Amino acid sequence: MEATTKIKKSVLIRQQKEAAKAVIGGASVAKLQNCPTSPRKMRLVVDLIRGENVEKALYILKFTNKEAAIRVEKLLLSAIKNWEAKNEGKRVEDSALFVKEVSVGGGRQLKRLRPAPQGRGFRIRKRSNHVTLIVDSKNDNN
């Protein structure tokens, strides 16, 4: 009985993933998992490029003086390469790519103890995050 419910559940999950891919359409996705930066610091950088043209976003990230900007820049370049692989024969310069969607979620936390007065221990949470970046073409949407 349990084996059939597990199979049904896995089929349902696969169908949901395929439906999500269909919604994305011609856009390309790049994901960064378990990046060792706190989500709050990453959101500061990501908010700078949301909705921007890809070239402008790359310039913004290049000259942003934060460590998270380096990782987001690599992620954006990866999303552009994914778009090129998905849309063969089209040029990035002609297609007016823009950052359609960027989201930052909390990842796993490493929990550590720091010594505190009177024999106590304070917990330190070393946070990480997951970043999802979607790049799309303005020419395809119109």
Side-chain angles (χ1 to χ4, degrees), residues 16-54:
Q16 288 174 344
K17 287 182 179 179
E18 289 171 2
K21 286 181 183 178
V23 168
I24 292 172
S28 68
V29 179
K31 292 184 180 181
L32 177 62
Q33 302 284 334
N34 290 320
C35 179
T37 309
S38 72
R40 186 174 180 179
K41 290 178 183 177
M42 186 63 82
R43 282 188 194 105
L44 287 173
V45 174
V46 161
D47 288 342
L48 296 172
I49 65 165
R50 186 174 285 122
E52 291 289 340
N53 184 9
V54 165

Side-chain angles (χ1 to χ4, degrees), residues 90-102:
K90 294 184 181 179
R91 294 183 57 212
V92 176
E93 295 83 15
D94 299 335
S95 58
L97 286 180
F98 72 105
V99 180
K100 183 176 182 180
E101 188 178 321
V102 186

